[in-house]
Amino acid sequence: MHTNVWYVDENVDSEKSYPQIVEAAECLKQNEVVAFPTETVYGLGGNALSEEAVAKIFQAKGRPADNPLIVHVASRPHVEKLVTSIPKQADDLMNAFWPGPLTIVLPGGQSVARNVTAGLDTVAIRMPNHPVALAILKAANLPLAAPSANLSGKPSPTSADHVIHDLSGRIAGIVDGGSTGVGLESTVVDCSGDVVTILRPGGVTKEQLEEVVGEVKVDPALSDDGQKPKSPGVKYKHYAPTAPVTLVDGSEKHLQTIVDKRRAEGLKIGILATEESKSLYQADIIIPCGSRDDLISVANRLYDVLRQFDESDVDEIYSEIFTHEGVGAAVMNRLSKAANNRVIKE
Ligand code: AMP
Ligand code: MG
């Protein structure tokens, strides 16, 4: 399949019409799938009302069919058409964080294509805060199912190049609107019960949610492997480069000792460091992932750094760890998955 690439300015006015966006929206209306930037990562969009379009998303990504998709909308009336009710807490969260990196799981979902929700009686919805994503949603005038635009299991794409690398030839087109913002996927919260529950940590932190709705729970499955997660996608190994990643919970000196030992055995080793620590290490490749003083910069860089390790020929990757506070919760959630939960404690 030929994959069209449309270049647009990342600051398009989502109220205006642009020929590239009109073409991309036409493709979506014909139930083809198109990748586009959002403020979290690039999404692979398809008409959420069409089983045919949604099937193409699963096929292009190689995504397991039991992992439901997030539906993206540009306006509140679209939400109301897709759900059976909007609980008060959900309404407050929408007012506080939309458009933005917060996905809300709501009762309903009977009006989207069957394969969007993987048979659940809830539907996950988000209004993205990116002018290009909003312009496409408005031009298509459809709710769009849009998971991250990567091959399933690979780090999510934070640039159009990442999307081209994974999906060129597998999808109808890519709208290239530069790099994404947050760099990690949205926070997913369940608002179908009494207490708002975080199913996946992301760009909006627990602390921020609590300011709006009071008590917020975290799905116990996020910290306990034995539990069945309420968000089916959370159980999959994810975000992983080809070489195995191990997290090192200890000093830089300890991390270096481990690396020295493996290199003495003839292995090529990569280190995921920070701007502050990169010059302290010796390895075959050392990639700084933002600054330890600014967790948002770590979130921003993470997927690109994991992909850079894939471009190198290292045998193993060792990574520093970060705090679980604030955005750190999302960073550590993704890093732990990239590492398949392998941690060495000093
Ligand atoms: P992705 O589209 O790759 O960012 O992943 C979407 C995430 O949202 C996955 O972790 C899904 O399991 C989760 N999700 C989507 N729909 C639902 C739903 N109805 N209930 C719970 N989790 C959901
Ligand atoms: Mg994904």
Side-chain angles (χ1 to χ4, degrees):
M1 176 188 291
H2 171 72
T3 301
N4 262 305
V5 182
W6 296 283
Y7 295 93
V8 295
D9 191 287
E10 62 187 303
N11 296 313
V12 293
D13 178 347
S14 57
E15 301 302 328
K16 286 198 185 136
S17 176
Y18 299 82
Q20 310 93 306
I21 286 178
V22 170
E23 267 184 49
E26 259 334 293
C27 264
L28 288 162
K29 285 190 205 169
Q30 284 161 25
N31 296 335
E32 294 299 336
V33 295
V34 172
F36 55 82
T38 79
E39 84 282 25
T40 59
V41 301
Y42 268 74
L44 179 60
N47 178 1
L49 307 178
S50 157
E51 202 170 321
E52 178 200 355
V54 172
K56 286 180 187 168
I57 296 177
F58 279 97
Q59 197 181 12
K61 284 180 56 79
R63 183 174 172 113
D66 68 346
N67 189 0
L69 305 180
I70 295 168
V71 179
H72 292 64
V73 297
S75 73
R76 281 291 285 270
H78 266 133
V79 181
E80 275 136 35
K81 279 186 216 152
L82 300 178
V83 302
T84 44
S85 69
I86 300 182
K88 162 95 173 61
Q89 290 175 321
D91 192 58
D92 292 344
L93 290 174
M94 288 176 200
N95 290 331
F97 296 107
W98 280 10
L102 181 70
T103 296
I104 304 182
V105 173
L106 292 163
Q110 286 73 19
S111 39
V112 291
R114 223 168 29 94
N115 42 358
V116 170
T117 58
L120 299 172
D121 52 12
T122 53
V123 57
I125 306 184
R126 163 170 122 82
M127 191 185 292
N129 186 17
H130 192 293
V132 174
L134 289 170
I136 292 170
L137 284 162
K138 285 178 188 167
N141 193 27
L142 287 168
L144 297 176
S148 49
N150 53 307
L151 286 175
S152 209
K154 286 282 150 198
S156 294
T158 51
S159 73
D161 279 350
H162 294 161
V163 181
I164 289 166
H165 179 274
D166 278 17
L167 298 179
S168 185
R170 300 170 73 95
I171 61 178
I174 300 169
V175 179
D176 181 346
S179 303
T180 55
V182 184
L184 291 181
E185 298 82 352
S186 59
T187 303
V188 179
V189 293
D190 183 5
C191 283
S192 62
D194 289 342
V195 181
V196 174
T197 306
I198 297 178
L199 305 184
R200 175 177 76 180
V204 174
T205 65
K206 180 168 187 274
E207 295 79 359
Q208 288 173 310
L209 295 167
E210 280 169 344
E211 276 176 31
V212 178
V213 292
E215 188 197 359
V216 172
K217 284 202 257 185
V218 178
D219 185 5
L222 287 177
S223 49
D224 177 356
D225 267 356
Q227 303 242 5
K228 183 174 184 281
K230 273 199 83 176
S231 179
V234 170
K235 70 177 180 280
Y236 290 105
K237 177 179 157 206
H238 241 85
Y239 320 111
T242 311
V245 180
T246 303
L247 309 185
V248 180
D249 182 357
S251 62
E252 287 103 357
K253 201 166 152 225
H254 188 66
L255 197 157
Q256 185 66 54
T257 312
I258 297 165
V259 169
D260 288 346
K261 188 160 160 273
R262 298 303 272 163
R263 290 179 87 201
E265 289 162 10
L267 295 177
K268 283 200 161 183
I269 303 297
I271 299 180
L272 187 152
T274 56
E275 288 300 337
E276 290 84 355
S277 65
K278 64 182 179 192
S279 58
L280 302 175
Y281 295 119
Q282 283 185 319
D284 296 282
I285 178 167
I286 299 160
I287 309 184
C289 184
S291 160
R292 188 164 282 284
D293 288 339
D294 172 15
L295 281 175
I296 295 186
S297 72
V298 178
N300 253 281
R301 299 284 308 122
L302 183 62
Y303 289 141
D304 189 53
V305 168
L306 292 176
R307 280 176 180 262
Q308 279 181 43
F309 281 117
D310 263 350
E311 305 287 304
S312 73
D313 58 350
V314 293
D315 299 303
E316 293 177 352
I317 300 161
Y318 291 86
S319 170
E320 296 184 2
I321 63 160
F322 298 88
T323 166
H324 282 82
E325 300 288 304
V327 181
V331 168
M332 283 307 294
N333 171 265
R334 307 306 192 276
L335 254 184
S336 304
K337 282 177 174 248
N340 218 349
N341 293 321
R342 265 183 310 270
V343 188
I344 297 179
K345 278 207 161 85
E346 185 166 358

